[in-house]
Amino acid sequence: MTTYTPAEAAERSGFSIDTLRYYEREGVLPEVQRTAGGHRVYTDAELGTLDFLKCLRETGMPMERLRRYGELCRDDDTVPERIALLEEHAVSVQQRLDEVLAQQARLAGKISWYRSTL
């Protein structure tokens, strides 16, 4: 099993070391394994989790919901709840996407109008 130092995990995940610690402290991530010397080590599985958390964060999932998702992921019997949480988030993402697309169309219309005045 490949393991990564916090610095390596931060570099690979795109999160800062402080964010990794924060996610662990807040329960977004489960407690990370430690070496005999007490240093955190991350596995490929945790990097995969971080990659998905980055997706959720970049699509606007609030910390409270990230925390809830992290809690649910520690219990194998919560798949239906995870699905519901992710479906709710997907609806929110789609609404924001629709809003941005409408704004893009309005912007394109204004650009077109300005070009017609030249």
Side-chain angles (χ1 to χ4, degrees):
M1 171 177 58
T2 305
T3 60
Y4 306 92
T5 66
E8 291 168 332
E11 183 178 331
R12 289 175 179 266
S13 70
F15 288 115
S16 69
I17 292 174
D18 289 338
T19 299
L20 296 178
R21 287 183 186 134
Y22 176 73
Y23 278 7
E24 185 182 350
R25 187 173 57 250
E26 291 297 314
V28 176
L29 279 177
E31 192 170 318
V32 176
Q33 296 177 34
R34 293 181 181 263
T35 65
H39 298 274
R40 288 177 171 84
V41 291
Y42 294 83
T43 65
D44 287 322
E46 288 155 342
L47 289 180
T49 299
L50 286 167
D51 185 54
F52 188 63
L53 291 173
K54 188 168 193 75
C55 170
L56 294 176
R57 201 63 186 132
E58 288 177 349
T59 55
M61 183 175 275
M63 269 307 295
E64 176 185 314
R65 305 292 284 169
L66 276 175
R67 191 177 300 114
R68 178 68 179 141
Y69 180 75
E71 290 169 2
L72 291 171
C73 286
R74 286 189 279 288
D75 181 351
D76 291 339
D77 295 330
T78 63
V79 171
E81 291 92 341
R82 285 182 249 171
I83 290 170
L85 187 145
L86 294 175
E87 285 176 339
E88 287 174 20
H89 184 63
V91 168
S92 172
V93 169
Q94 186 62 55
Q95 289 171 341
R96 285 199 332 276
L97 181 57
D98 292 345
E99 291 169 5
V100 169
L101 290 173
Q103 292 166 341
Q104 181 186 39
R106 186 171 180 207
L107 179 59
K110 184 59 93 173
I111 291 168
S112 178
W113 181 83
Y114 277 124
R115 286 191 173 147
S116 72
T117 64
L118 293 178

